Amino acid sequence: MNYLYYEYKSSTVCTVKEDKKLYYKSLSTQNYLNEKCLLNGSTLKGRQEAFVYQMKVKKYGSVTTNG
């Protein structure tokens, strides 16, 4: 996945990989990312906290998921 965005009109998350778009029903991009994290044995919050701890920074970084 190169990037994703939320389409409010249809309540879907659109993931874009090169020239291919896939749509997923979700309440928000945060819910979508949390669902992906849960499928891989973690949570979005847990991954964000791990990033802050490991990188010794005070802000969240990007979250890598399989998808």
Side-chain angles (χ1 to χ4, degrees), residues 1-39:
M1 169 176 41
N2 293 352
Y3 66 94
L4 62 86
Y5 62 90
Y6 191 73
E7 291 194 351
Y8 292 94
K9 189 174 183 179
S10 59
S11 298
T12 58
V13 172
C14 178
T15 62
V16 180
K17 185 174 184 180
E18 296 173 7
D19 61 345
K20 186 177 179 183
K21 291 183 179 182
L22 297 173
Y23 295 89
Y24 303 94
K25 221 34 168 166
S26 188
L27 298 175
S28 67
T29 53
Q30 188 169 3
N31 282 355
Y32 171 79
L33 289 172
N34 194 48
E35 288 173 25
K36 290 293 184 185
C37 289
L38 288 170
L39 288 172

